[in-house]
Amino acid sequence: MNYVALSIVLGLVAVSLLVAIYSRRYSRTAAEFYVAGRKISWLQNSLALTGDYLSAASFLGVAGAIAVVGIDKAWDGIGYFGGYIVLLLLLAVPLRKIGKFTAPEALTTRFTGNRAIRFSAMFSVVLISTFYIIPQFIGAGALLQLLLGWDYVFSLLVIGVIVISYVAIGGMRATTYNQIIQGVILWMAMALILILTVVNFFDGNILGIVEKANQTIPPEYAASRIADPDIPTWSELTAGAAVAHVAQALTGEPTGLTPGIFATGWMNVFALSIGLVFGTAGLPHVLTRYFTVERPRDARTSTLGVLVLVGTFYLMATFVGLAAMYLLYPDLMGYFLDGQDSIAQNMAVPLLGQLVGGNIMLGIAIGGAFCAILSTVAGLLITIGTSVTHDFYKEVINPDADERRQVKVAKMAIVGAGTIAVLFGIGLADQNVSYLVTLAFGIAASVFFPVLFLSVWWTKYTSQGALATIVTGITISAVFVGARLLGMDDLAGIPVLVNPALYSLPAAMIVGTIVSLRTDDYGDVDNFMSLAHGAEVEE
């Protein structure tokens, strides 16, 4: 057992729980529990957004996917970054000016009292957020497996209890403070691993990583094609020897810098990029953070800060992933050939941390990954609790519910959603966490981006069009996500792509537009547009 790493992880968990307990005094009212009373500054929100957004998919999954597939998976980081530019230009400020608790409530500010829209949007929030939580728990289970040697299922249950507890106790304020702490640790951990890797193994020349990657056949690709029973045990080979052996056995195959290994063909490339870019602008937990700042201009400034922090993080993750591909090549090939795909796909960053800095860096890497998991799951769970309570329970079940009752129902929703995510995490244990997240992005890109974009920017958009947009987007994206997870190559003759957004986003936009042109319920359009695009008012 690695006691150094365990101590760091336990310390981070203890800090998170203490922050939650401290913040409990501020989570008694609905506004405090949902959006921290709108008292979060732009700098706090920027750091919290960074912690919220840099999930296990970012810290473990992006670098891990690049380590096993190559530069083709850098699309993940580029898409995640590009999505914030779309969010900054099109939605961030209008949403904050509208000034509600949730994205579904923002919609019904225009389409006043439309329960069908609010309920379908709430259902979408829960589906997308729960699907996003699942890969976070998968990463957590693999981490505790690596750190403590625990059974994967038991590990998943432990981390599930910890995260669900601190979110239910502390609400949005505790979530925000923890995300600030965890975001800083995440960024610093990735930077430290990269610096030590470059200094210790590449003579201080970061471009040396690129040179080595160009000589290396990606291990996931190689493991599916190599057949050499006489090769020595992989763990006995040096990185250079393992890379040379595979290159000789698989002459002429693509290297770590060859595009198209994962997303083959232009349709897959477009599907992945569309899903990631527009999915960011439609993620419910990211949108919720824009309701926590004091002023509309803080939403814009927060996003600019996130662009700097997230952009540099993904740049570092790309180099770390390529370095891990080369330096960990014997280990990664061994894991794949032994059927331990989950460790190979998701544990490259901790393993590289241990290689370049021993148990201390392993502890920092695992601690950083735990920060990513705690931070992102917290943001997703608070979003689920807020939407279920505010958009369904109070709207449909009990309109007269007092604030104490609302907070209680939100906590019950958090526990329920977290439990469901843990159970699905058990069933999808062998999936790469970054890839599962890209599927969640595809659903978000198909639902919340088109319906919010059209609502905020088109005066002729109707309530019937909005409902059609949501139903079309979620139906088509969910069907193709299911087909992808089942390993289907096509569906009724239509190719199943790496992300559903190429089909579902245009379909949602087109159907919503056609229905709007044939109907006339524009909602409270004048008041809504005045709120969304009027002069910024100091609050």
Side-chain angles (χ1 to χ4, degrees):
M1 184 182 295
N2 188 326
Y3 290 102
V4 175
L6 179 61
S7 299
I8 293 173
V9 170
L10 290 177
L12 290 169
V13 170
V15 168
S16 297
L17 292 174
L18 288 173
V19 169
I21 293 169
Y22 171 78
S23 301
R24 189 177 183 184
R25 70 184 73 178
Y26 301 110
S27 64
R28 302 189 190 281
T29 69
E32 280 288 351
F33 192 85
Y34 296 157
V35 292
R38 304 196 202 282
K39 298 300 183 183
I40 304 301
S41 70
W42 75 265
L43 180 58
Q44 290 174 325
N45 200 48
S46 184
L47 291 169
L49 269 167
T50 302
D52 197 1
Y53 197 59
L54 296 181
S55 63
S58 296
F59 191 81
L60 296 177
V62 171
I66 291 172
V68 300
V69 175
I71 199 67
D72 213 27
K73 288 299 289 180
W75 272 111
D76 290 9
I78 294 170
Y80 297 153
F81 174 78
Y84 265 103
I85 297 176
V86 173
L87 191 55
L88 172 65
L89 295 175
L90 299 178
L91 292 178
V93 174
L95 286 177
R96 177 57 189 91
K97 286 181 179 179
I98 294 166
K100 300 300 179 180
F101 288 148
T102 67
E105 188 183 17
L107 286 172
T108 50
T109 300
R110 174 168 176 174
F111 304 114
T112 309
N114 193 309
R115 289 187 172 183
I117 290 177
R118 194 154 179 172
F119 178 76
S120 61
M122 180 279 298
F123 176 78
S124 301
V125 167
V126 175
L127 177 66
I128 294 166
S129 299
T130 303
F131 198 83
Y132 202 161
I133 292 171
I134 293 169
Q136 315 305 319
F137 280 148
I138 291 173
L143 278 170
L144 288 183
Q145 225 181 348
L146 178 66
L147 177 62
L148 303 177
W150 288 355
D151 176 73
Y152 171 78
V153 174
F154 181 71
S155 302
L156 211 59
L157 293 175
V158 169
I159 193 65
V161 169
I162 291 171
V163 182
I164 293 168
S165 298
Y166 101 65
V167 177
I169 291 171
M172 178 57 89
R173 191 176 292 271
T175 298
T176 298
Y177 292 155
N178 275 318
Q179 285 171 338
I180 291 170
I181 296 168
Q182 291 154 2
V184 171
I185 293 173
L186 272 170
W187 198 96
M188 295 299 295
M190 186 64 75
L192 190 55
I193 291 172
L194 178 60
I195 290 169
L196 289 175
T197 299
V198 172
V199 170
N200 292 337
F201 291 95
F202 295 95
D203 298 324
N205 179 15
I206 196 170
L207 295 180
I209 296 175
V210 178
E211 181 182 346
K212 291 296 184 183
N214 198 36
Q215 302 169 7
T216 307
I217 298 174
E220 184 174 45
Y221 181 90
S224 66
R225 289 162 175 78
I226 196 166
D228 189 351
D230 299 323
I231 191 171
T233 304
W234 284 97
S235 60
E236 296 176 359
L237 296 177
T238 64
V243 167
H245 175 86
V246 173
Q248 184 176 7
L250 301 175
T251 306
E253 296 290 348
T255 71
L257 298 185
T258 304
I261 294 177
F262 174 74
T264 56
W266 70 268
M267 289 183 70
N268 276 313
V269 172
F270 272 93
L272 185 59
S273 56
I274 289 171
L276 295 178
V277 170
F278 294 102
T280 298
L283 287 174
H285 68 297
V286 171
L287 296 172
T288 296
R289 288 233 58 93
Y290 287 104
F291 301 124
T292 67
V293 292
E294 297 180 80
R295 298 174 296 269
R297 69 185 184 196
D298 292 339
R300 182 188 300 110
T301 314
S302 295
T303 308
L304 291 172
V306 174
L307 284 171
V308 173
L309 294 169
V310 168
T312 52
F313 180 90
Y314 286 127
L315 183 62
M316 293 188 294
T318 300
F319 282 104
V320 166
L322 293 175
M325 176 191 294
Y326 176 76
L327 295 174
L328 300 176
Y329 202 77
D331 301 298
L332 297 174
M333 286 295 295
Y335 286 131
F336 278 121
L337 293 173
D338 288 342
Q340 300 182 65
D341 293 18
S342 180
I343 294 178
Q345 292 172 336
N346 299 315
M347 292 297 106
V349 172
L351 291 171
L352 182 62
Q354 185 177 37
L355 178 66
V356 301
N359 285 340
I360 292 177
M361 277 310 303
L362 173 62
I364 291 173
I366 292 179
F370 258 85
C371 284
I373 292 160
L374 293 173
S375 179
T376 300
V377 172
L380 291 161
L381 287 176
I382 200 74
T383 298
I384 290 173
T386 301
S387 191
V388 168
T389 305
H390 197 65
D391 299 317
F392 179 66
Y393 177 75
K394 191 174 187 304
E395 183 74 12
V396 178
I397 304 298
N398 187 3
D400 299 322
D402 60 23
E403 294 201 343
R404 185 179 294 273
R405 181 65 179 171
Q406 291 179 54
V407 171
K408 183 177 180 180
V409 172
K411 292 180 179 181
M412 293 170 59
I414 286 167
V415 173
T419 302
I420 292 170
V422 168
L423 294 176
F424 272 95
I426 295 171
L428 295 171
D430 290 332
Q431 295 285 340
N432 175 262
V433 294
S434 180
Y435 178 60
L436 287 178
V437 163
T438 64
L439 295 179
F441 272 64
I443 301 174
S446 309
V447 179
F448 281 110
F449 173 75
V451 75
L452 287 171
F453 173 74
L454 290 171
S455 295
V456 167
W457 293 102
W458 190 25
T459 58
K460 299 299 183 182
Y461 197 43
T462 66
S463 61
Q464 297 92 337
L467 185 60
T469 299
I470 294 171
V471 172
T472 301
I474 202 164
T475 301
I476 296 177
S477 60
V479 166
F480 277 94
V481 164
R484 180 71 183 182
L485 292 176
L486 291 173
M488 299 173 64
D489 293 326
D490 65 84
L491 199 61
I494 302 173
V496 175
L497 305 175
V498 296
N499 194 283
L502 184 63
Y503 301 140
S504 48
L505 174 55
M509 295 280 284
I510 292 169
V511 170
T513 300
I514 292 173
V515 172
S516 292
L517 292 174
R518 299 179 65 86
T519 52
D520 58 5
D521 179 14
Y522 305 123
D524 189 9
V525 62
D526 292 335
N527 182 54
F528 181 84
M529 290 299 178
S530 177
L531 285 173
H533 303 292
E536 297 185 11
V537 178
E538 297 293 331
E539 296 181 7

